[in-house]
Amino acid sequence: MDSVSTSTLFAALAVLLLTSAFFSASETAMMAINRYRLRHAAESGVRGAMRAQALLDKTDKLLGVILLGNNLVNSASATLSAVLAIRLFGSGEIVLFVATLLLTFLILVFSEVTPKVLGAAFPERVAYPATLLLTPLLKLAYPVVWFVNLFVQGILRLLRIRPPEQGQRNSLGLEELRTIVLESSGRLPREHHRILMNLMDLEDITVDDVMTPRSQIEAIDIEDDPERVRQQISTSHHTRLVVQAGSSDNLLGVLHVRRVLHALTGEALDPDTLKANLEAPYFVPAGTPLFTQLRHFQSGRRRLALVVDEYGELQGLVTLEDLLEELVGEFTTQAPSDAGYLRQEEDGSWLVEGSVLLRHLNRKLGLSLPLDGPKTLNGLLLEQFEDIPEAGVSLKLGDVPVEIVQTQGRAVKMARVYPPPAHELPGNASI
């Protein structure tokens, strides 16, 4: 050792510190890299990603070779720093103590903290080039790593710890996916982000939230005058109509208007003709999540369902279009009374029919009215008043002033909503 110059020893120490920095940065980058982005890059043919994917498939062996190299290098650095201290200042205990402190500082700053921060901040930039060295190092040190891992696996078995499989470690639940989508709002196009968030919410929204209430269902009474039935079918805005006998408590089925177009042009449209062209009614229980109902529509090749409560009483009607509009927004031409009446006044307020769905109102006016209780504006107002309000009475729903314009019977027929100025309407909110 005496034949080696001091400058050479300092150069060797610098190389060891840099090597330690390489292992530290590689370890952090490989562990911090986004596995899904890495998988996509590997499938796209990026060579660095393919090498990184292959190494991460053997995480225990990868960590073994990195830690083996890092510990060997740090141990060599400690020995070399002691030799340098003795050569320069003698072999006193204080000299060795100071040399240890100085080396610890150098390792922390240059070989641990700084490279790990860089590895965490730029995982792909660090990990992809690092695989060029880590891959052959793993092959060379494989026997040693295998031997070390024997002891590691033995200790884990003694502690009764079973590491999860690779697929289980990378699997994500619905809430984790929701968090990822929320955090990626700045990187995704606005419409894509909105659709993804709507998709995540399908499990939390039920058919009750989007159905057409029973009182607003346009139905054909088979006991009506045939001419009146003919006129109702020919002027309907819908392609499917519910058919009943006397009242909604006696549902016969669903009529596809296209099946009776021939009868509207001249042939007799009698009750027997209607009954011959009916589809059996499809009932679903209230509270069914939209995602579940969407799968039922798909598997049953249906487009319309009748929502019933626990007693079998009809509550409303939900269509495939209602579900799809929860995902992508409105895309069909609706009948004037389908979603409730909204009209913007010159003073910026909105005239809103009491039967309008709160979800529809929130989406149209950019509000955040509560959705965990009543489903319609009328229901929310009655809940707040705990009585039938009179016309001219006003109140605030959160930060939204609302004035009762008209009541009819036991319900609020029309109200005036004043959206706060801070609310910007999403897109074109006019109807």
Side-chain angles (χ1 to χ4, degrees):
M1 185 69 71
D2 293 339
S3 62
V4 181
S5 65
T6 303
S7 59
T8 302
L9 293 178
F10 273 114
L13 181 60
V15 170
L16 290 175
L17 292 176
L18 289 175
T19 305
S20 177
F22 164 76
F23 284 118
S24 298
S26 300
E27 178 188 4
T28 303
M30 294 294 288
M31 296 301 106
I33 198 168
N34 187 301
R35 300 298 176 92
Y36 299 97
R37 188 180 302 162
L38 174 66
R39 186 177 303 167
H40 173 72
E43 292 174 353
S44 301
V46 179
R47 293 185 178 276
M50 295 168 66
R51 292 191 298 268
Q53 182 74 51
L55 290 173
L56 286 172
D57 287 340
K58 300 174 287 187
T59 306
D60 55 341
K61 296 177 177 60
L62 171 64
L63 288 176
V65 72
I66 290 176
L67 294 176
L68 176 64
N70 208 4
N71 281 284
L72 284 175
V73 169
N74 288 339
S75 298
S77 299
T79 302
L80 192 56
S81 65
V83 171
L84 281 170
I86 293 172
R87 176 176 293 190
L88 294 174
F89 305 105
S91 58
E93 294 179 357
I94 297 179
V95 172
L96 293 177
F97 178 73
V98 172
T100 301
L101 289 180
L102 182 59
L103 179 65
T104 302
F105 174 78
L106 292 175
I107 289 177
L108 279 176
V109 173
F110 296 105
S111 300
E112 291 292 335
V113 178
T114 301
K116 286 189 175 183
V117 169
L118 291 175
F122 309 101
E124 286 88 1
R125 296 185 187 180
V126 174
Y128 291 175
T131 57
L132 293 171
L133 290 177
L134 291 177
T135 301
L137 278 177
L138 180 58
K139 293 179 180 179
L140 289 174
Y142 189 84
V144 179
V145 173
W146 175 81
F147 183 72
V148 171
N149 279 338
L150 283 180
F151 290 91
V152 173
Q153 296 298 328
I155 293 173
L156 291 178
R157 288 193 185 96
L158 287 175
L159 297 176
R160 296 184 179 180
I161 297 175
R162 184 177 180 181
E165 299 294 331
Q166 185 71 22
Q168 295 176 341
R169 289 198 297 267
N170 294 332
S171 61
L172 294 177
L174 184 60
E175 291 306 316
E176 288 85 356
L177 285 173
R178 190 193 303 272
T179 301
I180 291 174
V181 174
L182 282 172
E183 292 179 349
S184 63
S185 58
R187 300 181 181 181
L188 289 173
R190 182 177 178 181
E191 285 301 308
H192 293 182
H193 181 263
R194 181 176 63 84
I195 291 174
L196 286 173
M197 288 306 302
N198 289 343
L199 180 61
M200 300 291 178
D201 292 335
L202 285 188
E203 282 290 351
D204 300 325
I205 306 172
T206 66
V207 291
D208 310 53
D209 296 311
V210 300
M211 70 181 182
T212 301
R214 172 177 178 170
S215 60
Q216 296 181 28
I217 296 177
E218 183 179 355
I220 297 174
D221 190 345
I222 203 169
E223 297 179 357
D224 277 349
D225 180 71
E227 186 58 35
R228 186 171 183 271
V229 172
R230 179 197 301 270
Q231 183 180 5
Q232 185 178 358
I233 294 175
S234 61
T235 58
S236 175
H237 292 273
H238 305 284
T239 58
R240 288 174 172 82
L241 295 171
V242 176
V243 179
Q244 62 190 34
S247 71
S248 58
D249 294 326
N250 187 14
L251 296 176
L252 301 180
V254 177
L255 174 68
H256 198 306
V257 174
R258 183 180 59 187
R259 293 185 177 182
V260 294
L261 288 178
H262 65 282
L264 297 176
T265 60
E267 298 183 21
L269 185 60
D270 52 30
D272 292 334
T273 303
L274 284 178
K275 289 181 180 180
N277 289 280
L278 291 183
E279 297 176 359
Y282 169 45
F283 297 102
V284 298
T288 302
L290 288 195
F291 188 76
T292 302
Q293 187 55 47
L294 186 62
R295 287 188 289 127
H296 289 169
F297 274 145
Q298 184 180 26
S299 60
R301 298 182 180 275
R302 295 179 179 271
R303 300 175 65 92
L304 182 147
L306 299 170
V307 182
V308 295
D309 62 13
E310 58 184 315
Y311 303 106
E313 296 290 331
L314 179 66
Q315 299 297 306
L317 177 150
V318 64
T319 65
L320 177 61
E321 286 76 12
D322 294 329
L323 273 62
L324 294 180
E325 286 180 356
E326 284 299 313
L327 278 177
V328 299
E330 294 181 10
F331 60 90
T332 59
T333 302
Q334 296 181 331
S337 62
D338 274 0
Y341 175 87
L342 289 90
R343 188 185 72 193
Q344 188 169 23
E345 301 290 283
E346 293 182 358
D347 60 356
S349 65
W350 287 76
L351 278 178
V352 181
E353 195 173 11
S355 59
V356 70
L357 292 172
L358 291 176
R359 295 188 61 81
H360 178 73
L361 189 61
N362 283 345
R363 185 164 56 237
K364 279 294 183 183
L365 305 189
L367 305 179
S368 55
L369 299 176
L371 302 174
D372 53 353
K375 308 301 181 184
T376 64
L377 178 61
N378 170 63
L380 183 60
L381 290 172
L382 295 184
E383 182 183 69
Q384 295 295 317
F385 281 108
E386 299 182 350
D387 196 1
I388 308 299
E390 297 181 358
V393 177
S394 300
L395 82 162
K396 266 194 170 185
L397 298 176
D399 60 347
V400 182
V402 179
E403 177 189 355
I404 308 301
V405 176
Q406 179 185 358
T407 59
Q408 186 177 38
R410 295 171 292 175
V412 174
K413 180 67 175 176
M414 193 71 67
R416 190 185 304 276
V417 178
Y418 297 87
H423 283 87
E424 293 185 5
L425 302 186
N428 182 9
S430 61
I431 298 181

